[in-house]
Amino acid sequence: MAITIEIDHAKTRARAAAIAGLPVVPQAVKGPIRRLKWVILLLTLSIYYVTPFLRWNRGPNAPEQAVLLDFANGRLYAFFIEIWPQDLYLVTGLLVLASTILILANALAGRLWCGFACPQTVWTDLFLLVERLIEGDRRQRLKNIGAPLTAKRAFQLVAKHVTWLLISLATGGTLIFYFTDAPDLLSGLIVGDVSANALTWIAVFAGTTYGLAGFAREQVCTFMCPWPRLQGAIWDPEAYTVNYRDYRGEQRTSAKKAAELRLRGEPAGDCVDCGQCVAVCPIGIDIREGPNFACINCGLCVDACDGVMTKLGRPRGLIDYESWTNIERGRNKEAPRNRLLRPKTIGLTAACIALAGTIGLAFATKTTATLSVQHDRDPVAVRLSDGSLRNAYTVKLLNKSASAHRYTLSVGGIDAKLSIVGNESLSPIEVAPDSSEQLRLTLTAAQAAQRDVVFIARDETGGSLSAADRFVER
């Protein structure tokens, strides 16, 4: 079964609106989905604004901010997790896991992330709420477009944009808090003692928020975001996306005309062509025209249509979260089938579990210290006057813990004398917390052939580190 996601009417509407200079002005709607979106909006904004101020005790000489992207020192902190540059493979794994979860969500319910939790959607909803509270609902805002500028209208515009800018500055400032100690930066902002670099980034992020959430809005979701472009490749007809049950809604007619037709025993569609589904859509599309790549699956049109159906005494669900295959079954008067559990979703779920388990195991077994060895390249070996052979190496001990450690170096796999430049007695090497020590050492063997050698660093606490290299002849 080949299905093409319709994009022409989305482009046509966007082009017509641009030519007319008219923005998409969504109408407020009430319903269970809208209430769920408000809950998610409050939850996500609370997490975003509060997280930088959470504290986490990591011991002495370690930052106390629970979530901190300390790029200056090459550290990423997230509560009990600490990631060094050497651990970036774990970040890669988390990104792969997030992508797999997103694909799984798409297989289950389309662009669910876009409609409920995407930052663009969340901040756009917040900006729209401000706009409605100050300027009124859709009808009043449409009247304001092109109307003469009065004192009241000027006050509304100033109040709206000042509020938008305050939200944008709070957003940009909070994002900077993730990269430095939040309370210190906040106190610096209050007293005016902050670097020009921090102010510049706050201005950049504030301007981005102001532009994208205040003006670009649906253009971001339709044309700037790459995710809708992938819908043609990964769109799943079994996914529960927002769809119009055309087999029930057509032919469209007025409520009065539909009632007369039913009294005469003639068929009549439930859709009264009220246009509420289009009026509340934050993207400005008409879902009745078929699957659309621009639809973010927010479900506001479901609330709007259900409200109309309830007033008309008709069954709810004319527009609903429904799979496209069930829409086609309905056209053929066949019973719908729920196929959320199918090979694709089971495989993606298994992949998510396997990835999560692998990443969890990698985090659990991640060490707080590493030993690395690099053989000298020029020369790789030196023949001494007594006939013995010497190889030189650079050894690096990295201590990623919050306490100092002392290591004793030894070598295995070869009968050779170990010497540490500057430490002839081979006394324990102390590595300070959150730092590294680089040593230069030599191995001298009376009779040696090509063979592997193992360098061992034994910690005074009982642990040990090892790294292998090669002892070579000239």
Side-chain angles (χ1 to χ4, degrees):
M1 177 178 60
I3 300 174
T4 301
I5 299 181
E6 180 61 51
I7 65 173
D8 288 340
H9 65 276
K11 291 182 177 179
T12 301
R13 288 176 186 275
R15 192 180 301 114
I19 293 174
L22 298 176
V24 173
V25 183
Q27 180 176 308
V29 63
K30 296 180 180 179
I33 297 176
R34 178 65 267 183
R35 288 194 294 271
L36 176 61
K37 282 175 64 65
W38 286 132
V39 170
I40 294 175
L41 181 144
L42 290 173
L43 178 63
T44 51
L45 289 179
S46 298
I47 292 174
Y48 175 77
Y49 288 116
V50 172
T51 298
F53 295 94
L54 299 179
R55 303 288 94 184
W56 190 268
N57 184 12
R58 297 186 178 89
N61 306 314
E64 295 183 352
Q65 188 161 312
V67 178
L68 178 64
L69 309 179
D70 188 5
F71 287 162
N73 296 308
R75 309 286 186 273
L76 302 181
Y77 299 96
F79 298 96
F80 61 91
I81 296 172
E82 180 179 344
I83 296 178
W84 284 52
Q86 295 87 343
D87 305 323
L88 285 182
Y89 66 93
L90 296 173
V91 178
T92 303
L94 289 173
L95 292 175
V96 173
L97 175 60
S99 300
T100 307
I101 293 174
L102 193 60
I103 295 172
L104 173 61
N106 188 84
L108 293 172
R111 295 179 66 182
L112 204 62
W113 159 261
C114 300
F116 288 84
C118 174
Q120 175 65 20
T121 296
V122 170
W123 265 271
T124 296
D125 268 356
L126 181 60
F127 275 46
L128 281 171
L129 175 63
V130 171
E131 192 172 59
R132 287 193 196 101
L133 292 176
I134 295 176
E135 295 187 1
D137 202 359
R138 182 172 186 267
R139 182 177 299 179
Q140 183 59 48
R141 300 205 307 277
L142 287 175
K143 286 182 179 179
N144 290 337
I145 297 176
L149 184 63
T150 62
K152 178 182 178 181
R153 177 65 181 145
F155 174 79
Q156 288 178 337
L157 288 173
V158 171
K160 179 182 75 172
H161 286 281
V162 167
T163 307
W164 281 1
L165 284 171
L166 290 175
I167 295 173
S168 300
L169 287 171
T171 303
T174 302
L175 188 57
I176 297 299
F177 290 160
Y178 283 90
F179 296 88
T180 186
D181 189 74
D184 288 348
L185 180 58
L186 180 60
S187 61
L189 288 170
I190 293 174
V191 301
D193 183 17
V194 65
S195 68
N197 184 50
L199 290 175
T200 299
W201 282 109
I202 291 174
V204 169
F205 292 131
T208 302
T209 305
Y210 180 68
L212 295 183
F215 300 95
R217 293 182 179 175
E218 74 283 348
Q219 304 300 322
V220 175
C221 300
T222 306
F223 301 109
M224 296 173 63
C225 178
W227 189 240
R229 304 298 176 194
L230 298 175
Q231 295 302 296
I234 65 176
W235 185 76
D236 194 330
E238 296 284 359
Y240 276 70
T241 56
V242 174
N243 279 303
Y244 167 63
R245 292 187 169 104
D246 53 1
Y247 58 87
R248 175 185 148 188
E250 304 296 329
Q251 293 286 331
R252 305 173 197 174
T253 184
S254 66
K256 181 178 179 180
K257 181 66 174 177
E260 294 174 353
L261 291 173
R262 293 188 185 102
L263 285 175
R264 296 200 300 263
E266 299 179 17
D270 282 349
C271 181
V272 295
D273 207 14
C274 62
Q276 287 299 296
C277 55
V278 181
V280 302
C281 180
I283 307 299
I285 63 173
D286 188 345
I287 196 62
R288 296 173 298 176
E289 296 179 10
N292 191 306
F293 87 117
C295 177
I296 61 173
N297 227 32
C298 66
L300 295 180
C301 55
V302 177
D303 279 345
C305 188
D306 282 351
V308 174
M309 291 296 104
T310 300
K311 291 178 181 178
L312 296 177
R314 304 299 300 166
R316 299 162 69 96
L318 178 60
I319 298 176
D320 205 353
Y321 285 96
E322 180 64 285
S323 69
W324 185 253
T325 51
N326 278 342
I327 296 293
E328 294 190 325
R329 291 188 187 104
R331 292 171 179 172
N332 297 326
K333 302 189 183 303
E334 299 175 3
R337 289 191 300 168
N338 183 344
R339 292 199 67 230
L340 290 177
L341 292 178
R342 53 190 188 279
K344 180 177 181 179
T345 57
I346 294 173
L348 286 169
T349 302
C352 290
I353 294 173
L355 283 169
T358 303
I359 295 170
L361 180 62
F363 271 114
T365 57
K366 186 167 68 74
T367 61
T368 58
T370 61
L371 171 67
S372 60
V373 178
Q374 183 176 5
H375 197 292
D376 277 9
R377 295 182 179 274
D378 187 20
V380 294
V382 175
R383 181 71 65 177
L384 302 180
S385 60
D386 61 359
S388 60
L389 195 67
R390 185 174 69 193
N391 282 206
Y393 305 85
T394 299
V395 173
K396 184 176 182 180
L397 280 166
L398 177 63
N399 178 15
K400 298 188 287 185
S401 68
S403 58
H405 286 259
R406 291 165 62 86
Y407 298 94
T408 301
L409 288 176
S410 62
V411 65
I414 188 173
D415 183 13
K417 178 185 178 182
L418 172 66
S419 298
I420 303 176
V421 177
N423 185 4
E424 302 301 330
S425 63
L426 300 181
S427 59
I429 308 300
E430 182 170 331
V431 185
D434 196 15
S435 63
S436 63
E437 287 290 336
Q438 186 168 292
L439 310 170
R440 182 163 174 79
L441 56 83
T442 60
L443 291 180
T444 305
Q447 294 178 349
Q450 302 267 26
R451 66 186 63 189
D452 291 332
V453 293
V454 178
F455 296 85
I456 302 170
R458 288 186 172 84
D459 192 349
E460 290 185 345
T461 61
S464 65
L465 305 169
S466 63
D469 209 298
R470 188 79 172 166
F471 190 92
V472 299
E473 292 185 279
R474 181 162 51 177

